[in-house]
Amino acid sequence: MPSILARGATLLRWLRGRVGRALTPARWHELRRLEPHARYYGSHRGTPVDRVYITSFLDQWQNDVRGTVLEVASDAYTRRFGDGRVERCEVVSLAPDPGVTIAGDLTSPTLLEPAAFDCIILTQTLQFIYDTRAVLATCHAALKPGGVLLVTVPCISQSEAVDPLDNFWRYTSLSLHRLLTERFPAERVTVQSYGNVLTAVSLLHGIAAEELTPEELAHFDRDYEVIVAGRAVKEG
Ligand SMILES: C[S@@+](CC[C@H](N)C(=O)[O-])C[C@H]1O[C@@H](n2cnc3c(N)ncnc32)[C@H](O)[C@@H]1O
């Protein structure tokens, strides 16, 4: 049940939004268009805004990237953040692409060896797999006791499918927290989110991070979660 203070703050924000809309006509400039400035998250213009948040999250938890690590699609983040702590890195993907050492479906409980990994880096993958819970169960079982899952998911994003993958889901900090605490001890789960209205619009329009200031990128407005990131530590 939300407290009176929380309800008051929500009402105030709603009122401010109404008054703001009534007094200030929107100046659309070149945003009044049906085609985005650039598709594919702006990756042809520069760094997609969401990648700044993902790397910032992994940078914060880089000491978790150690021992035996599993990453999806490539070992890029393991190499970038492992800093001499990594003994072995496995790369998992649905298809047996170059660099992939484990090809198969993460929803399958037998894909990964049980209790084999110190760290699993699961960035921008859950939205492409219908059965989120099955993937989290596979990851949980594949972690050693005390092993860490580092996961990022989109909240506000375009729904482009990455051929041949379908794009199923968006998550809020609330839903990611709920999903992680179904598997991991609640006191060992932390979820944080990143974004604001400007970076949300930038991502949708494919405006790259290099076109924004560090302050604009860093500003957080919880009403506009662009990326949601979770760290979950296995019991034991
Ligand atoms: C867009 S990539 C994201 C991974 C990348 N590390 C990143 O940060 O962008 C999505 C990856 O998820 C993999 N994938 C999708 N469905 C899968 C499934 N059911 N089992 C295993 N991997 C899957 C795809 O093969 C692809 O490599």
Side-chain angles (χ1 to χ4, degrees), residues 25-33:
R27 293 196 184 92
W28 289 94
H29 300 294
E30 74 244 40
L31 285 186
R32 189 159 199 158
R33 52 194 290 163

Side-chain angles (χ1 to χ4, degrees), residues 51 71-74 77 92-95 104-107 123-125 128-129 162 165:
R51 288 290 154 184
E71 187 175 339
V72 183
S74 86
Y77 288 136
V92 64
S93 193
L94 204 48
D105 188 347
L106 275 167
T107 63
T123 48
Q124 305 305 95
T125 298
F128 297 111
I129 307 175
V162 177
L165 305 172

